[in-house]
Amino acid sequence: MQCGVSLSGVEMSVFQVTSMKFRFGAIVALVVAMVALGLAVWRLADQDLSWRNSEPFDFVSGGNAITGTLWLPDDDPQAAIVLVHGDSAQDRTSDDGYALLINAFLDHGIAVAAWDKPGVGTSGGNWLHQSMPDRVDETRAALRNLHKRFDRVALGAVGFSQAGWVLPGLTRDDADFLVLIGAAVSWHDQGD
């Protein structure tokens, strides 16, 4: 007695049918894994800035040579911003923590400039010796530098945490817009 299945006139054993199901399942699993890997690699690209158009963004503030990077969108920018760090020793990408944000801005046609805080990376000085008015002057110098590069686009500043004490020192002459993210309001509130 032989057990089998007939498909279009071709008789197949149960073993052959089971083998076909296994192969089909393996192919489906492989395709799903490849799609998942492709999506993961695509999302990881948002963590990488090396493929983006960029140029040096250097200026002087408080007698210190400040070094940074200006990332440019693929097309002419619709706006340009400077990123203003919060507290602590931070480099221009905040140890790559800004990569997703920078890529999102670039994808929306916004040029992004950021710099190493004084004494961090290749910037001169010492960020621990800066007062809040010093940080306002530094941000103002960065915006002036950005204005030299872009004549007819809106210029702004996006700041984090401690920048809540920095950005309010700027005026309409310095920037067209200001954005604060997680802004510190007072020393007590920040501690809480």
Side-chain angles (χ1 to χ4, degrees):
M1 178 170 162
Q2 190 171 13
C3 186
V5 175
S6 178
L7 298 172
S8 301
V10 176
E11 189 154 326
M12 300 175 69
S13 71
V14 172
F15 174 75
Q16 289 172 316
V17 171
T18 303
S19 179
M20 280 181 54
K21 286 181 181 179
F22 176 77
R23 279 187 252 151
F24 178 74
I27 290 170
V28 168
L30 182 62
V31 168
V32 168
M34 289 174 61
V35 168
L37 179 62
L39 287 172
V41 168
W42 175 63
R43 293 305 301 166
L44 285 175
D46 285 345
Q47 297 285 341
D48 183 23
L49 294 169
S50 64
W51 61 279
R52 292 296 199 165
N53 296 326
S54 65
E55 59 188 50
F57 185 75
D58 303 334
F59 58 96
V60 175
S61 179
N64 297 313
I66 305 297
T67 59
T69 302
L70 172 63
W71 290 274
L72 302 163
D74 293 334
D75 297 320
D76 290 338
Q78 305 303 307
I81 61 168
V82 296
L83 296 180
V84 182
H85 299 299
D87 194 16
S88 78
Q90 293 184 10
D91 67 13
R92 63 196 76 188
T93 65
S94 193
D95 291 325
D96 295 327
Y98 292 160
L100 282 171
L101 182 64
I102 292 170
N103 275 314
F105 281 131
L106 294 171
D107 289 343
H108 287 89
I110 301 170
V112 181
W115 57 92
D116 299 335
K117 285 177 95 171
V120 177
T122 55
S123 287
N126 186 336
W127 68 274
L128 290 171
H129 298 157
Q130 285 186 304
S131 65
M132 289 305 140
D134 293 337
R135 295 208 52 211
V136 171
D137 290 342
E138 178 182 77
T139 303
R140 188 173 285 126
L143 285 161
R144 278 194 306 267
N145 193 35
L146 197 60
H147 184 69
K148 290 176 191 173
R149 177 65 170 77
F150 301 108
D151 187 27
R152 298 183 197 261
V153 300
L155 301 180
V158 175
F160 309 92
S161 188
Q162 193 181 73
W165 293 299
V166 176
L167 297 190
L170 299 173
T171 68
R172 179 79 173 150
D173 292 335
D174 299 317
D176 297 312
F177 61 92
L178 305 174
V179 177
L180 287 167
I181 300 170
V185 178
S186 74
W187 292 106
H188 297 287
D189 289 345
Q190 185 178 18
D192 290 342

